[in-house]
Amino acid sequence: MNTKEHPKAIIVIFGATGDLAKRKLFPSIYRLVQNNKIAKDFAVVGVARRSWTNEEFRSNVKESIQASMKTHPELDEFASHFHYHPFDVTNPSSYLELNGMLTDLDGIYHTSGNRIFYLAMAPEFFGTIALNLKKEGLTATDGWSRLVIEKPFGHDLPSARKLNHEIREAFTEDQIYRIDHYLGKEMVQNIEVIRFANAIFEPLWNNRYISNIQITSSEVLGVEDRGRYYENSGALRDMVQNHMLQMVALLAMEPPIKLTTDEIRSEKVKVLRALRPLAEDEVAENFIRGQYDLGTVSEKTLPSYRDENNVDELSMTETYVAGKLLIDNFRWAGVPIYIRTGKRMSVKSTKIVVQFKDIPMNLYYNRKETMHPNLLVIHIQPDEGVTLQLNAQKLGDGTYGKPIPLNHCNNSIDGINTPEAYEKLIYDCMRGDATNFTHWDEVALSWSYVDPISKAWEHEKAELAKYPSGSMGPKEADQLLEKDGAQWWPISDHFE
Ligand code: NAP
């Protein structure tokens, strides 16, 4: 591809002095330019209230690149494309000035009127910004305009609907890119490839051969300095409504007729529609909420969630969720999908384990040994890869099988703060590919599933199970699987 064909646009970042911009967005844009993915002729305009100059903004950009990358050639040249425009987004008159600035930059950088408005700010501002962008003519250019929105998209279905209504006043659905950064992860994108490019899996990918699926996303860190945000969110809204349900949809969807955005999304939507809804009084039986307690990790005593900054000392906010989901369709009827996610757990890991049913008769195991099921493990982070656990003959006395893992590890530059997913997503947005962003229908269906669970918890219809910091969660989450004769497969932070 020659440079002329590279996507080009002005990226306007609302909330450009914030954490997300510094840790994820600036390094991602840098890598896209360095890797020659987007045109060298690009511009970024930062908006926030702080009265920074262009120079101050640029040095913040440079710091962010220096902190996240070992080498950083052409950094001054890169930073010179960044411009800062201080204003309060609730002030409508400032949008006119911003428009003038964008028009000037468009002339300088030849960006053809293409604009990305990236809202890296608290969601209460999303509607105001979108409306003002339209009202003051910032979206009326000769090129395209796209709106990128960070999570959380509402805190329940009514608030998400209200927000969606506000942004739809100004942007059409195909101009809206709702970020779920899990969808930018290499191995999440690979779920579809593993499923649909391998003849050996598709015939087995159903309730005749799969016993259960387990999705774990565990963090070692606690709530850190995000207590205020987290108190209003909790693990259900922060992780389950978006990332976990997106992984469920990708694992359970039917093969799309084509790999287009609309076809893939429409198959994911069908899965979300087929999730068996839970009535409030069924929640306790199927979902466990937990909260981390005191615990010792590497000989250090860590505080309980209730002792963290900006957390209520009687907080009922869940830092852990485990749940059993059922999908009522022909392919999945009767196959439980177990999910769990939490903070302050013993390992940082996101993994999917697909457990196949046992063979009908066990010829190879002596009576003392239990059967080893075949497992397909998709390692999402920090390791990236796939393991297929088979049984093979154990050398020595007698003939009996032994589990052997076939591993493929993509590893991976992935670290805690990898901007990799954001890099892919910004690139997709520049190219107008919305496949790895969430459509409104997915957001709405996810909230419909999750809302009765949060209501049941608000109405205290389920216990809050405490778990020690540094453990894999409360014992109630183990019992959830034991009731079905299943168990969580062990998760470690490295390739097994
Ligand atoms: P943050 O650090 O608090 O940054 C908020 C930004 O908004 C700052 O630049 C702030 O700058 C600006 N701002 C606040 N009020 C403003 C106003 N009235 N007018 C103009 N600018 C205003 O937040 P963040 O962590 O970057 O998160 C931003 C969004 O991304 C949130 O929706 C969050 O949920 C989401 N998100 C963040 C992360 C992450 O890793 N940080 C991950 C996933 C999603 P001034 O104070 O200078 O105005």
Side-chain angles (χ1 to χ4, degrees), residues 40-144:
K40 298 265 181 218
D41 238 6
F42 73 100
V44 177
V45 174
V47 173
R49 287 166 306 183
R50 254 158 268 191
S51 55
W52 282 2
T53 59
N54 278 347
E55 283 322 309
E56 282 169 306
F57 183 45
R58 287 170 190 168
S59 61
N60 189 45
V61 171
K62 287 197 271 185
E63 269 171 32
S64 110
I65 315 292
Q66 282 157 344
S68 67
M69 262 159 264
K70 284 198 187 105
T71 60
H72 18 79
E74 301 173 282
L75 192 51
D76 284 323
E77 208 287 317
F78 173 76
S80 72
H81 292 248
F82 284 68
H83 304 263
Y84 187 70
H85 187 52
F87 75 90
D88 188 320
V89 294
T90 56
N91 176 5
S93 60
S94 306
Y95 288 81
L96 266 184
E97 280 170 45
L98 177 63
N99 201 12
M101 182 177 183
L102 296 184
T103 307
D104 292 347
L105 291 174
D106 208 23
I108 298 170
Y109 293 103
H110 315 107
T111 38
S112 313
N114 298 334
R115 294 175 179 179
I116 291 179
F117 301 101
Y118 197 121
L119 310 192
M121 287 186 54
E124 66 253 36
F125 296 112
F126 293 171
T128 313
I129 299 173
L131 284 175
N132 280 313
L133 289 174
K134 163 123 187 202
K135 206 161 106 220
E136 302 306 335
L138 280 84
T139 54
T141 69
D142 293 339
W144 45 256

Side-chain angles (χ1 to χ4, degrees), residues 21 23-34 38 64-65 68-69 78 418-424 426:
R23 282 194 310 117
K24 308 280 187 188
L25 306 186
F26 303 151
S28 299
I29 298 169
Y30 179 74
R31 287 212 230 181
L32 286 172
V33 174
Q34 284 298 309
I38 60 174
S64 110
I65 315 292
S68 67
M69 262 159 264
F78 173 76
T418 174
E420 187 71 13
Y422 276 89
E423 187 181 331
K424 284 188 197 201
I426 294 171

